[in-house]
Short mmCIF file of all heavy atoms in Angstrom, two decimals:
data_model
loop_
_atom_site.label_atom_id
_atom_site.label_comp_id
_atom_site.label_asym_id
_atom_site.label_seq_id
_atom_site.Cartn_x
_atom_site.Cartn_y
_atom_site.Cartn_z
N ILE A 1 4.57 4.28 5.11
CA ILE A 1 3.15 4.30 4.74
C ILE A 1 2.89 5.39 3.71
O ILE A 1 2.20 5.19 2.71
CB ILE A 1 2.27 4.53 5.99
CG1 ILE A 1 2.37 3.31 6.93
CG2 ILE A 1 0.82 4.75 5.60
CD1 ILE A 1 1.72 3.53 8.26
N THR A 2 3.46 6.56 3.96
CA THR A 2 3.27 7.68 3.03
C THR A 2 3.80 7.33 1.64
O THR A 2 3.12 7.56 0.63
CB THR A 2 4.00 8.93 3.56
OG1 THR A 2 3.51 9.24 4.86
CG2 THR A 2 3.77 10.12 2.62
N ALA A 3 4.99 6.75 1.59
CA ALA A 3 5.58 6.40 0.30
C ALA A 3 4.75 5.34 -0.41
O ALA A 3 4.54 5.40 -1.63
CB ALA A 3 7.01 5.90 0.50
N ALA A 4 4.27 4.36 0.35
CA ALA A 4 3.47 3.29 -0.25
C ALA A 4 2.17 3.83 -0.80
O ALA A 4 1.72 3.47 -1.90
CB ALA A 4 3.21 2.19 0.78
N ALA A 5 1.53 4.71 -0.04
CA ALA A 5 0.26 5.30 -0.49
C ALA A 5 0.47 6.16 -1.74
O ALA A 5 -0.32 6.12 -2.68
CB ALA A 5 -0.35 6.13 0.63
N GLU A 6 1.55 6.92 -1.74
CA GLU A 6 1.83 7.78 -2.89
C GLU A 6 2.13 6.95 -4.13
O GLU A 6 1.66 7.26 -5.24
CB GLU A 6 3.01 8.69 -2.58
CG GLU A 6 3.35 9.65 -3.72
CD GLU A 6 4.50 10.56 -3.36
OE1 GLU A 6 4.67 10.87 -2.17
OE2 GLU A 6 5.22 10.96 -4.29
N ALA A 7 2.90 5.87 -3.95
CA ALA A 7 3.22 5.00 -5.09
C ALA A 7 1.96 4.39 -5.67
O ALA A 7 1.79 4.28 -6.89
CB ALA A 7 4.20 3.92 -4.65
N GLN A 8 1.05 3.97 -4.79
CA GLN A 8 -0.19 3.37 -5.25
C GLN A 8 -1.03 4.41 -6.00
O GLN A 8 -1.61 4.12 -7.05
CB GLN A 8 -0.98 2.82 -4.07
CG GLN A 8 -2.34 2.23 -4.42
CD GLN A 8 -2.22 0.97 -5.26
OE1 GLN A 8 -1.13 0.44 -5.42
NE2 GLN A 8 -3.32 0.51 -5.82
N ALA A 9 -1.09 5.63 -5.46
CA ALA A 9 -1.86 6.68 -6.12
C ALA A 9 -1.28 7.02 -7.47
O ALA A 9 -2.00 7.24 -8.44
CB ALA A 9 -1.90 7.92 -5.24
N TYR A 10 0.04 7.03 -7.55
CA TYR A 10 0.70 7.38 -8.81
C TYR A 10 0.44 6.33 -9.88
O TYR A 10 0.16 6.63 -11.03
CB TYR A 10 2.20 7.54 -8.58
CG TYR A 10 2.97 7.93 -9.81
CD1 TYR A 10 2.99 9.26 -10.23
CD2 TYR A 10 3.64 7.00 -10.57
CE1 TYR A 10 3.68 9.64 -11.38
CE2 TYR A 10 4.33 7.36 -11.71
CZ TYR A 10 4.34 8.68 -12.10
OH TYR A 10 5.01 9.04 -13.23
N SER A 11 0.51 5.05 -9.48
CA SER A 11 0.36 3.98 -10.46
C SER A 11 -1.09 3.78 -10.87
O SER A 11 -1.37 3.40 -12.01
CB SER A 11 0.92 2.68 -9.89
OG SER A 11 0.20 2.31 -8.73
N SER A 12 -2.01 4.05 -9.96
CA SER A 12 -3.42 3.80 -10.27
C SER A 12 -4.14 5.04 -10.79
O SER A 12 -5.22 4.95 -11.36
CB SER A 12 -4.14 3.29 -9.02
OG SER A 12 -4.16 4.31 -8.02
N GLY A 13 -3.53 6.21 -10.55
CA GLY A 13 -4.19 7.44 -10.97
C GLY A 13 -5.29 7.88 -10.03
O GLY A 13 -6.08 8.78 -10.32
N LYS A 14 -5.36 7.26 -8.85
CA LYS A 14 -6.42 7.59 -7.89
C LYS A 14 -6.02 8.82 -7.07
O LYS A 14 -4.87 9.06 -6.81
CB LYS A 14 -6.69 6.41 -6.95
CG LYS A 14 -7.25 5.18 -7.65
CD LYS A 14 -7.44 4.06 -6.64
CE LYS A 14 -7.99 2.82 -7.33
NZ LYS A 14 -8.14 1.70 -6.38
N ALA A 15 -7.01 9.56 -6.66
CA ALA A 15 -6.79 10.69 -5.78
C ALA A 15 -7.74 10.54 -4.59
O ALA A 15 -8.62 9.69 -4.58
CB ALA A 15 -7.03 11.99 -6.50
N GLY A 16 -7.57 11.39 -3.58
CA GLY A 16 -8.45 11.34 -2.43
C GLY A 16 -7.87 10.48 -1.33
O GLY A 16 -6.68 10.53 -1.05
N THR A 17 -8.71 9.67 -0.70
CA THR A 17 -8.28 8.87 0.44
C THR A 17 -7.93 7.45 0.01
O THR A 17 -8.70 6.78 -0.66
CB THR A 17 -9.38 8.82 1.51
OG1 THR A 17 -9.66 10.15 1.94
CG2 THR A 17 -8.94 7.98 2.71
N ILE A 18 -6.77 7.02 0.41
CA ILE A 18 -6.33 5.65 0.13
C ILE A 18 -6.13 4.95 1.47
O ILE A 18 -5.49 5.48 2.38
CB ILE A 18 -5.03 5.64 -0.68
CG1 ILE A 18 -5.32 6.16 -2.09
CG2 ILE A 18 -4.43 4.25 -0.75
CD1 ILE A 18 -4.11 6.22 -2.96
N LYS A 19 -6.70 3.75 1.60
CA LYS A 19 -6.58 3.02 2.86
C LYS A 19 -5.31 2.16 2.86
O LYS A 19 -5.02 1.46 1.91
CB LYS A 19 -7.81 2.14 3.08
CG LYS A 19 -9.07 2.94 3.40
CD LYS A 19 -10.24 2.03 3.71
CE LYS A 19 -11.46 2.86 4.10
NZ LYS A 19 -12.62 1.99 4.43
N VAL A 20 -4.61 2.26 3.97
CA VAL A 20 -3.38 1.50 4.13
C VAL A 20 -3.53 0.61 5.36
O VAL A 20 -3.97 1.08 6.41
CB VAL A 20 -2.17 2.43 4.30
CG1 VAL A 20 -0.89 1.63 4.49
CG2 VAL A 20 -2.05 3.35 3.11
N ALA A 21 -3.20 -0.66 5.23
CA ALA A 21 -3.25 -1.58 6.36
C ALA A 21 -1.84 -1.88 6.84
O ALA A 21 -0.93 -2.05 6.04
CB ALA A 21 -3.95 -2.87 5.97
N VAL A 22 -1.66 -1.91 8.15
CA VAL A 22 -0.36 -2.20 8.75
C VAL A 22 -0.54 -3.29 9.79
O VAL A 22 -1.43 -3.20 10.64
CB VAL A 22 0.24 -0.94 9.42
CG1 VAL A 22 1.64 -1.23 9.94
CG2 VAL A 22 0.26 0.22 8.45
N ASN A 23 0.27 -4.32 9.74
CA ASN A 23 0.15 -5.34 10.78
C ASN A 23 1.18 -5.09 11.88
O ASN A 23 2.01 -4.17 11.80
CB ASN A 23 0.26 -6.75 10.20
CG ASN A 23 1.65 -7.06 9.66
OD1 ASN A 23 2.59 -6.32 9.89
ND2 ASN A 23 1.77 -8.16 8.95
N LYS A 24 1.12 -5.91 12.88
CA LYS A 24 1.95 -5.71 14.06
C LYS A 24 3.43 -5.80 13.74
O LYS A 24 4.27 -5.20 14.42
CB LYS A 24 1.56 -6.73 15.13
CG LYS A 24 2.20 -6.48 16.49
CD LYS A 24 1.66 -7.47 17.50
CE LYS A 24 2.28 -7.21 18.87
NZ LYS A 24 1.74 -8.15 19.89
N ASN A 25 3.75 -6.57 12.70
CA ASN A 25 5.15 -6.73 12.32
C ASN A 25 5.68 -5.57 11.49
O ASN A 25 6.84 -5.56 11.10
CB ASN A 25 5.32 -8.03 11.53
CG ASN A 25 4.96 -9.24 12.36
OD1 ASN A 25 5.21 -9.26 13.56
ND2 ASN A 25 4.36 -10.23 11.72
N GLY A 26 4.79 -4.62 11.20
CA GLY A 26 5.22 -3.46 10.41
C GLY A 26 5.10 -3.65 8.92
O GLY A 26 5.59 -2.83 8.15
N ASP A 27 4.45 -4.73 8.47
CA ASP A 27 4.25 -4.93 7.04
C ASP A 27 3.18 -3.96 6.53
O ASP A 27 2.16 -3.74 7.19
CB ASP A 27 3.80 -6.37 6.76
CG ASP A 27 4.89 -7.38 7.12
OD1 ASP A 27 6.07 -7.04 6.91
OD2 ASP A 27 4.54 -8.47 7.60
N ILE A 28 3.42 -3.40 5.36
CA ILE A 28 2.52 -2.41 4.78
C ILE A 28 1.67 -3.05 3.69
O ILE A 28 2.18 -3.79 2.85
CB ILE A 28 3.31 -1.24 4.16
CG1 ILE A 28 4.29 -0.66 5.19
CG2 ILE A 28 2.37 -0.15 3.65
CD1 ILE A 28 3.63 -0.02 6.37
N PHE A 29 0.36 -2.75 3.69
CA PHE A 29 -0.53 -3.22 2.64
C PHE A 29 -1.32 -2.04 2.11
O PHE A 29 -2.04 -1.38 2.86
CB PHE A 29 -1.50 -4.29 3.17
CG PHE A 29 -0.80 -5.52 3.66
CD1 PHE A 29 -0.33 -5.61 4.97
CD2 PHE A 29 -0.57 -6.58 2.81
CE1 PHE A 29 0.33 -6.73 5.41
CE2 PHE A 29 0.09 -7.72 3.24
CZ PHE A 29 0.54 -7.79 4.56
N VAL A 30 -1.16 -1.73 0.83
CA VAL A 30 -1.90 -0.65 0.19
C VAL A 30 -2.87 -1.27 -0.79
O VAL A 30 -2.46 -1.97 -1.72
CB VAL A 30 -0.96 0.33 -0.55
CG1 VAL A 30 -1.76 1.47 -1.14
CG2 VAL A 30 0.09 0.85 0.40
N ASP A 31 -4.16 -1.01 -0.59
CA ASP A 31 -5.19 -1.61 -1.43
C ASP A 31 -5.02 -3.12 -1.55
O ASP A 31 -5.15 -3.71 -2.62
CB ASP A 31 -5.18 -0.98 -2.84
CG ASP A 31 -5.89 0.37 -2.83
OD1 ASP A 31 -6.46 0.72 -1.78
OD2 ASP A 31 -5.88 1.04 -3.86
N GLY A 32 -4.69 -3.74 -0.44
CA GLY A 32 -4.60 -5.19 -0.42
C GLY A 32 -3.30 -5.76 -0.92
O GLY A 32 -3.15 -6.97 -0.99
N GLN A 33 -2.34 -4.93 -1.27
CA GLN A 33 -1.07 -5.44 -1.79
C GLN A 33 0.07 -5.04 -0.87
O GLN A 33 0.18 -3.89 -0.46
CB GLN A 33 -0.81 -4.89 -3.20
CG GLN A 33 -1.86 -5.29 -4.21
CD GLN A 33 -1.53 -4.77 -5.59
OE1 GLN A 33 -0.39 -4.56 -5.91
NE2 GLN A 33 -2.55 -4.59 -6.40
N LYS A 34 0.90 -6.01 -0.57
CA LYS A 34 2.01 -5.75 0.33
C LYS A 34 3.06 -4.92 -0.37
O LYS A 34 3.70 -5.37 -1.32
CB LYS A 34 2.61 -7.07 0.82
CG LYS A 34 3.72 -6.89 1.85
CD LYS A 34 4.21 -8.23 2.35
CE LYS A 34 5.30 -8.05 3.39
NZ LYS A 34 5.80 -9.34 3.90
N GLU A 35 3.23 -3.69 0.12
CA GLU A 35 4.17 -2.75 -0.49
C GLU A 35 4.01 -2.71 -2.01
O GLU A 35 4.98 -2.72 -2.75
CB GLU A 35 5.61 -3.11 -0.10
CG GLU A 35 5.85 -2.98 1.39
CD GLU A 35 7.28 -3.31 1.79
OE1 GLU A 35 8.14 -3.37 0.91
OE2 GLU A 35 7.52 -3.50 2.98
N THR A 36 2.76 -2.70 -2.42
CA THR A 36 2.32 -2.59 -3.82
C THR A 36 2.72 -3.80 -4.67
O THR A 36 2.66 -3.75 -5.88
CB THR A 36 2.87 -1.31 -4.50
OG1 THR A 36 4.26 -1.46 -4.69
CG2 THR A 36 2.57 -0.08 -3.69
N GLU A 37 3.13 -4.90 -4.02
CA GLU A 37 3.46 -6.10 -4.78
C GLU A 37 2.71 -7.30 -4.20
O GLU A 37 2.61 -7.46 -2.99
CB GLU A 37 4.96 -6.41 -4.72
CG GLU A 37 5.82 -5.39 -5.45
CD GLU A 37 7.28 -5.75 -5.40
OE1 GLU A 37 7.59 -6.83 -4.86
OE2 GLU A 37 8.10 -4.97 -5.91
N ILE A 38 2.15 -8.13 -5.07
CA ILE A 38 1.45 -9.33 -4.63
C ILE A 38 2.49 -10.39 -4.30
O ILE A 38 3.30 -10.77 -5.14
CB ILE A 38 0.50 -9.85 -5.72
CG1 ILE A 38 -0.56 -8.78 -6.03
CG2 ILE A 38 -0.17 -11.14 -5.31
CD1 ILE A 38 -1.44 -9.12 -7.20
N THR A 39 2.45 -10.88 -3.06
CA THR A 39 3.47 -11.83 -2.62
C THR A 39 3.00 -13.28 -2.72
O THR A 39 3.81 -14.19 -2.76
CB THR A 39 3.88 -11.55 -1.18
OG1 THR A 39 2.71 -11.59 -0.35
CG2 THR A 39 4.50 -10.17 -1.07
N ALA A 40 1.70 -13.51 -2.71
CA ALA A 40 1.19 -14.88 -2.79
C ALA A 40 -0.19 -14.86 -3.42
O ALA A 40 -0.94 -13.90 -3.24
CB ALA A 40 1.13 -15.52 -1.42
#
């Protein structure tokens, strides 16, 4: 989660609080993107 949030912040230039969603299977979603990549 930390790595995903940092990668998103680095690529977008955003600072502050970034929301990360995690499902039961352990999939990571940062700003609506699974591990910063759109899968579908």
Side-chain angles (χ1 to χ4, degrees):
I1 293 171
T2 303
E6 182 179 331
Q8 177 67 10
Y10 182 80
S11 62
S12 65
K14 295 179 181 178
T17 300
I18 291 179
K19 290 185 177 181
V20 179
V22 184
N23 68 11
K24 189 175 181 179
N25 298 325
D27 295 324
I28 307 295
F29 298 87
V30 183
D31 281 354
Q33 299 182 27
K34 184 177 181 180
E35 296 181 15
T36 71
E37 292 182 4
I38 299 173
T39 57

